[in-house]
């Protein structure tokens, strides 16, 4: 994968296809491969870029002094867009990455032309209540490492409070690759814990209060079978975004890109095309 050095550290990213830039943002304890089923479907019509953010599955630790709160990771994404000299970006987020995308659009949105939010943290849900114990564990030395240790086994990674309820089925090899950096590198664990210690629902409540000020078009694509981010949350999100539409996807869970990649790719393709047509 190509890489780029930012003030916070080195970011690896996937970059494929040609056309208007679409940047895909993942959440905690996954990496840019979350979008591996979607980006090939868009490569003929878009430049698809999927960075590995410092959220626990990245391969290169950030600088030891890097500030990695949600707000600062949003700044990192803004720096990433600037370093690649991207303009009129369609920013796509999922899970914790959707929260980050909201902050990017609000505070570092100079290069963002459109926003796509799939099932993600918003309003008072940051994180979902089922994952509050893991976030709290990040505040106790060694506790987060101990909590993730069982995920060395594939059966543990399939459990409801690991990856089991996030999608209908994720290959064991994929989830194994997601947890490996955290389990094997103390500095990767440091980065993830730093981010998780800074999670506070007030961050997203403040963002929600500011979302009505966004001028860019937004698309909310929401899996309807999600146990963590229910359909009502997507409806609320679409309602506060002033230039948005909601597209429900039946039977998809949190990782819409895993459960319904073709439907998601079709929606992103049409959304990007609308922007190109308006610009023309």
């Amino acid at each position: 994968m190509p890489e780029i050095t930012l003030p916070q550290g080195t970011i690896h990213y996937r970059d494929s296809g040609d056309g208007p830039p679409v940047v895909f943002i993942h959440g905690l304890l996954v990496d840019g491969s979350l979008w591996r089923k979607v980006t090939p479907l868009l490569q003929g019509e878009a430049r698809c870029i999927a960075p590995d953010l410092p959220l626990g599955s990245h391969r290169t630790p950030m600088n030891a002094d890097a500030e990695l709160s949600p707000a600062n990771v949003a700044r990192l994404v803004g720096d990433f867009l600037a370093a690649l000299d991207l303009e009129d970006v369609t920013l796509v987020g999922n899970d914790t990455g959707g929260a980050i995308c909201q902050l990017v659009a609000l505070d570092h949105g100079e290069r963002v032309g459109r926003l796509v939010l799939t099932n993600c943290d918003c309003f008072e849900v940051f994180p979902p209540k089922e994952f509050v114990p893991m976030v709290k564990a990040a505040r106790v030395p060694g506790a987060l490492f101990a909590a993730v240790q069982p995920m060395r086994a594939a059966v543990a990674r399939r459990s409801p409070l690991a990856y089991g309820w996030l999608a209908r089925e994720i290959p064991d090899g994929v989830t194994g690759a997601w947890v490996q950096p955290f389990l094997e590198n103390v500095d990767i664990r440091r980065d993830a814990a730093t981010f998780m210690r800074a999670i506070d629902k007030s961050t997203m409540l403040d963002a929600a209060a500011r979302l009505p000020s966004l001028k860019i078009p937004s698309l909310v694509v929401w899996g309807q079978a999600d146990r963590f981010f229910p359909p009502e949350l997507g409806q609320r999100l679409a309602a506060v975004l002033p230039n948005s539409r909601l597209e429900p996807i039946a039977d998809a869970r949190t990782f819409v890109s895993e459960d319904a990649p073709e439907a998601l790719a079709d929606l992103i393709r049409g959304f990007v095309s609308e922007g190109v047509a308006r610009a023309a």
Side-chain angles (χ1 to χ4, degrees):
M1 288 191 295
E3 62 183 52
I4 194 162
T5 299
L6 304 176
Q8 302 89 341
T10 298
I11 297 292
H12 298 267
Y13 61 99
R14 295 153 186 81
D15 191 344
S16 59
D18 294 300
V22 182
V23 176
F24 295 85
I25 304 299
H26 63 80
L28 275 166
L29 287 177
V30 301
D31 62 18
S33 67
L34 177 72
W35 308 100
R36 70 195 183 283
K37 295 182 179 180
V38 175
T39 56
L41 303 175
L42 296 171
Q43 286 176 14
E45 297 147 285
R47 179 184 176 188
C48 298
I49 302 167
D52 289 348
L53 298 181
L55 300 180
S57 297
H58 53 303
R59 299 283 167 171
T60 302
M62 295 293 98
N63 301 335
D65 62 350
E67 297 182 3
L68 297 176
S69 68
N72 282 301
V73 172
R75 180 183 298 277
L76 182 153
V77 172
D79 291 345
F80 177 77
L81 302 182
L84 292 184
D85 196 24
L86 302 176
E87 298 284 353
D88 197 26
V89 169
T90 299
L91 192 63
V92 184
N94 172 257
D95 194 21
T96 330
I100 292 167
C101 286
Q102 293 168 60
L103 297 174
V104 173
L106 288 166
D107 299 322
H108 311 285
E110 300 84 1
R111 296 172 180 269
V112 178
R114 282 161 300 282
L115 180 64
V116 180
L117 296 173
T118 68
N119 300 48
C120 65
D121 297 84
C122 52
F123 301 103
E124 71 282 351
V125 181
F126 188 47
K129 63 181 183 300
E130 294 85 353
F131 292 106
V132 168
M134 181 169 284
V135 170
K136 289 183 175 179
R139 297 167 186 162
V140 180
L144 183 60
F145 187 33
V148 179
Q149 278 286 347
M151 290 193 221
R152 294 183 186 275
V155 65
R157 297 196 299 274
R158 295 186 215 118
S159 71
L161 295 184
Y163 299 103
W165 281 354
L166 293 169
R168 289 194 299 271
E169 183 177 359
I170 310 172
D172 291 337
V174 172
T175 60
W178 285 344
V179 299
Q180 182 181 16
F182 182 95
L183 291 170
E184 295 186 353
N185 189 314
V186 64
D187 293 328
I188 298 294
R189 293 197 291 275
R190 176 205 66 205
D191 289 348
T194 299
F195 180 88
M196 293 171 74
R197 283 196 298 270
I199 288 177
D200 190 307
K201 67 176 60 179
S202 65
T203 301
M204 298 318 298
L205 287 170
D206 171 73
R210 296 189 289 138
L211 286 177
S213 68
L214 278 182
K215 306 300 183 186
I216 59 174
S218 301
L219 176 66
V220 178
V221 182
W222 216 262
Q224 300 296 287
D226 193 341
R227 296 172 184 257
F228 304 114
F229 305 110
E232 296 77 13
L233 199 63
Q235 294 166 10
R236 288 174 61 195
L237 189 57
V240 301
L241 288 163
N243 188 10
S244 72
R245 77 172 188 266
L246 174 66
E247 293 284 356
I249 297 186
D251 300 326
R253 299 184 183 179
T254 306
F255 291 172
V256 179
S257 60
E258 200 73 27
D259 286 346
E262 294 87 358
L264 179 57
D266 285 346
L267 288 167
I268 293 172
R269 182 184 299 110
F271 192 49
V272 171
S273 296
E274 291 170 12
V276 171
R278 278 194 296 268

